[in-house]
Amino acid sequence: MKNFSQYTLIAFVAIFLTAFYNISFFQNVINTYSFSSIHIVYIISIAFVLFSFILFLFSLFASKYTTKPLLILVLIVSSFTAYFMDTYHVVIDTEMIRNTLQTNISESGDLFSFKLVLYVLFLGLLPSLVVYKLKIDYRGLKSEIFAKIKTLVISVLVIVIIVFSFSKFYTSFFREHKPLRYHVNPIFWIYSIGNYVNKTLNSGPIVFKSIGRDAKFYPEELRSPKKELLIMVVGEAARANRFSLNGYEKETNPLLKQEDIINFPNVYSCGTSTAVSVPCMFSVYSRSDYDYKKGISTENVIDVLNNTNHIKVLWRDNNSDSKGVAIRVDYEDYKTSANNTMCDGECRDEGMLVGLDKYIEKNKDKDILIVLHQMGNHGPAYYKRYPKEFEKFTPVCKTNQLEKCTQEEVSNAYDNAILYTDYFLSKTINFLKPYSKDYHTGLIYMSDHGESLGENGLYLHGMPYLIAPEEQKHIGTLMWFGDSEINTKKLKTYSENEFSQDNLFHTILGFFELETNVYKKDMDILYDAKKD
């Protein structure tokens, strides 16, 4: 096999990456500009700019000891990112990387497919093997430095000449179509990893901030002698427009419609992934103020409750984990049969209700908050998210390769999972009803984010919030109150107003009748519905 210089090898790899790993990127470019007339020239010029930029980037870090390892690493990682971008049309940004690192093995298994194997084999392993086997001619130090400078200069000149030759087009491209860059492989995932490391590891020492330590109950004369008992259900990937309570044509909420629930049809999430939305929804920060470092370094609403020493908090999780929210309160893992007694190949959400009566009895002298974190509608294997008897809507997509199914099959599998959530929430309400004699009881259900089901070619969730479609941000939300201090009739008069996960922190504090300097009554959804 003929020996290569390292810059010739980098050039071939750059061509390979541009041509075969950027299908999603060029599809988005063509959808934006159309592949016709002068736009053909522009799109071809983009390919040359991308090739030149990849060539420049890898040449910059090229050396006798780094070139092969760098190229092999990029090829393998890019084969994975190409699969997910081409198949689900997701974006591999900083938050997607965070979400990936926080995903457990079981959830990762749902993403495995034969198509993924082919991508990794033909775009990752085989090209990496070729790179590994190739003999590279390393010349003297001066020759290598000259070759590096020559490659860097030529690649920069190509970029500059093309951009200035089509300056009007590229001005529009960079200013008006910034989201297109999210699809560039491997440039954007490399940038996103750097951004993730910077935000997570290199953002300086974390100083933990306590909040709400002044929290106290309303004066005794304003409080009922009854204790509070609230179950907070954190949903998973449940978009609002698939609830028949919100006008969806399929009857996905047959049990909840029989209960005296308060439905909130206009609630929006803090993020488009569990890793962002769950810590954000329990935090004191609004979506516009929230970031990862603030989230992990500041106490959240369940900390405020727990710190009073008069409110008992329990978090049960049938999802990946609490994303750091419940690390200072009682936490129980219900993803395995070790705790969950209702597992049939997959542990069911309703298993989290088993034994709660014993927990309540044990802590009957205190107010209680119980958080149940659902598996819910976690994709792409929606057909696994519900027991067989809930397969009401057919035919069903029974693969994680959603692009192989019809829109109807994907929708039916997803809707069946919503139907199971309806059952789970109804069962939770009926669990609470007997306690209404002795407690002010309540249920709050709020999904973490929504989900794309093939609209405009998008699947799953996790798109950058700025460009995320409505389906990924508009979330299912409802409440139920037994005997409580809440005037449900009044609450229903404004339940169709627009709310967001920003309201949850203050609403929970309001339910437990806590006064603290971090509580904002205008953010408390229940404030105007308190009984006189």
Side-chain angles (χ1 to χ4, degrees):
M1 189 175 287
K2 183 180 178 181
N3 292 0
F4 280 70
S5 75
Q6 60 179 327
Y7 299 102
T8 302
L9 175 60
I10 290 172
F12 276 112
V13 171
I15 293 171
F16 195 62
L17 286 166
T18 302
F20 297 105
Y21 297 69
N22 281 280
I23 294 172
S24 180
F25 171 64
F26 285 110
Q27 281 179 339
N28 279 278
V29 171
I30 291 170
N31 290 338
T32 302
Y33 289 101
S34 77
F35 197 67
S36 60
S37 61
I38 188 64
H39 288 156
I40 296 176
V41 177
Y42 294 151
I43 292 168
I44 293 172
S45 78
I46 290 173
F48 277 97
V49 169
L50 177 56
F51 158 74
S52 299
F53 190 81
I54 295 172
L55 177 63
F56 175 86
L57 184 66
F58 292 162
S59 297
L60 189 64
F61 294 99
S63 74
K64 182 177 181 179
Y65 303 103
T66 61
T67 297
K68 281 191 174 185
L70 176 64
L71 294 180
I72 290 171
L73 176 64
V74 169
L75 285 168
I76 291 175
V77 175
S78 295
S79 68
F80 281 95
T81 57
Y83 168 76
F84 288 106
M85 289 194 293
D86 295 349
T87 303
Y88 300 115
H89 301 282
V90 298
V91 169
I92 313 300
D93 66 346
T94 302
E95 297 308 329
M96 182 63 77
I97 290 168
R98 190 185 313 283
N99 214 36
T100 300
L101 293 175
Q102 294 181 5
T103 298
N104 60 35
I105 295 175
S106 175
E107 292 175 338
S108 299
D110 282 346
L111 297 169
F112 181 82
S113 69
F114 182 64
K115 183 179 177 181
L116 173 59
V117 172
L118 293 179
Y119 263 75
V120 175
L121 178 62
F122 289 105
L123 295 183
L125 298 179
L126 291 180
S128 296
L129 182 62
V130 172
V131 170
Y132 177 76
K133 291 288 188 180
L134 278 175
K135 300 290 185 181
I136 295 180
D137 278 334
Y138 293 103
R139 294 161 288 184
L141 180 62
K142 288 184 179 180
S143 297
E144 286 295 331
I145 292 175
F146 177 76
K148 178 189 283 283
I149 293 173
K150 182 176 71 172
T151 305
L152 293 175
V153 170
I154 291 174
S155 56
V156 168
L157 282 176
V158 170
I159 294 171
V160 170
I161 291 170
I162 291 175
V163 170
F164 275 93
S165 297
F166 303 110
S167 58
K168 188 175 181 180
F169 167 76
Y170 279 97
T171 299
S172 167
F173 180 82
F174 290 124
R175 287 185 179 179
E176 298 178 22
H177 302 290
K178 289 181 180 180
L180 287 174
R181 71 182 187 271
Y182 298 151
H183 302 273
V184 178
N185 191 11
I187 304 301
F188 194 71
W189 71 254
I190 293 174
Y191 162 79
S192 296
I193 287 178
N195 194 33
Y196 171 80
V197 171
N198 181 58
K199 286 183 176 181
T200 306
L201 304 178
N202 295 328
S203 53
I206 293 176
V207 179
F208 193 74
K209 179 181 179 181
S210 297
I211 61 170
R213 291 302 177 105
D214 63 330
K216 59 183 180 180
F217 290 114
Y218 293 172
E220 197 67 34
E221 63 271 15
L222 299 179
R223 297 196 77 212
S224 166
K226 284 187 176 183
K227 299 291 184 183
E228 265 73 36
L229 171 59
L230 177 67
I231 294 183
M232 170 76 207
V233 177
V234 180
E236 168 63 44
R239 54 191 256 187
N241 68 0
R242 291 308 176 100
F243 283 62
S244 55
L245 293 170
N246 294 325
Y248 186 46
E249 62 271 16
K250 295 181 188 175
E251 184 58 89
T252 53
N253 303 123
L255 298 177
L256 285 174
K257 76 175 185 180
Q258 299 175 32
E259 304 290 348
D260 187 23
I261 59 104
I262 303 94
N263 183 50
F264 292 83
N266 297 303
V267 180
Y268 291 84
S269 65
C270 182
T272 62
S273 67
T274 304
V276 175
S277 287
V278 169
C280 182
M281 67 197 288
F282 286 95
S283 80
V284 68
Y285 302 108
S286 65
R287 185 186 71 81
S288 58
D289 292 333
Y290 177 84
D291 62 39
Y292 173 76
K293 185 177 179 181
K294 285 181 178 179
I296 63 171
S297 63
T298 308
E299 289 183 327
N300 55 64
V301 68
I302 65 175
D303 290 317
V304 175
L305 301 186
N306 193 55
N307 291 337
T308 66
N309 295 318
H310 297 291
I311 302 172
K312 197 66 178 173
V313 181
L314 171 66
W315 184 293
R316 285 187 169 182
D317 210 305
N318 195 35
N319 204 296
S320 51
D321 55 49
S322 73
K323 307 306 178 188
V325 176
I327 59 177
R328 292 171 290 275
V329 300
D330 292 340
Y331 177 90
E332 295 175 352
D333 182 353
Y334 270 69
K335 296 184 293 296
T336 69
S337 57
N339 285 327
N340 196 329
T341 60
M342 304 186 73
C343 300
D344 55 4
E346 175 158 317
C347 290
R348 301 302 175 190
D349 290 333
E350 60 185 300
M352 291 189 287
L353 297 174
V354 178
L356 282 184
D357 52 343
K358 295 178 182 177
Y359 181 84
I360 294 170
E361 176 63 25
K362 181 181 176 182
N363 298 286
K364 60 184 178 181
D365 59 330
K366 294 187 176 183
D367 292 349
I368 298 173
L369 169 66
I370 298 168
V371 182
L372 305 178
H373 188 192
Q374 281 186 278
M375 178 57 79
N377 280 60
H378 195 286
Y382 306 119
Y383 69 99
K384 293 182 179 180
R385 304 288 94 92
Y386 53 86
K388 182 67 177 177
E389 59 266 29
F390 287 87
E391 197 163 280
K392 174 182 177 181
F393 307 112
T394 57
V396 165
C397 179
K398 294 199 172 183
T399 174
N400 56 9
Q401 293 181 254
L402 301 179
E403 77 284 0
K404 288 189 173 182
C405 297
T406 66
Q407 190 88 33
E408 179 189 13
E409 290 169 336
V410 174
S411 291
N412 285 339
Y414 182 88
D415 293 341
N416 288 331
I418 294 287
L419 187 67
Y420 179 61
T421 287
D422 172 78
Y423 166 78
F424 170 64
L425 294 177
S426 174
K427 191 171 182 178
T428 305
I429 289 170
N430 283 287
F431 170 84
L432 282 169
K433 283 179 180 178
Y435 291 100
S436 294
K437 297 177 183 178
D438 303 312
Y439 291 88
H440 292 141
T441 51
L443 168 103
I444 297 176
Y445 167 78
M446 182 179 285
S447 184
D448 57 353
H449 51 76
E451 190 87 334
S452 288
L453 299 173
E455 297 87 359
N456 299 312
L458 290 176
Y459 292 96
L460 304 180
H461 53 267
M463 292 292 286
Y465 203 90
L466 181 66
I467 63 170
E470 177 89 356
E471 292 84 4
Q472 294 189 24
K473 298 183 288 189
H474 190 192
I475 55 174
T477 304
L478 59 91
M479 299 181 188
W480 171 90
F481 300 100
D483 182 9
S484 71
E485 297 293 295
I486 309 302
N487 183 336
T488 55
K489 289 184 178 179
K490 188 170 185 181
L491 182 56
K492 288 177 181 179
T493 64
Y494 62 86
S495 62
E496 293 189 7
N497 292 354
E498 184 172 316
F499 297 102
S500 75
Q501 291 177 338
D502 295 351
N503 296 99
L504 183 65
F505 180 96
H506 308 280
T507 300
I508 290 177
L509 289 180
F511 179 86
F512 283 96
E513 301 181 326
L514 285 176
E515 294 178 334
T516 167
N517 61 358
V518 291
Y519 169 72
K520 297 178 181 178
K521 66 181 181 181
D522 58 320
M523 293 293 289
D524 179 358
I525 296 174
L526 305 177
Y527 183 79
D528 290 331
K530 299 284 178 64
K531 291 181 179 178
D532 298 328

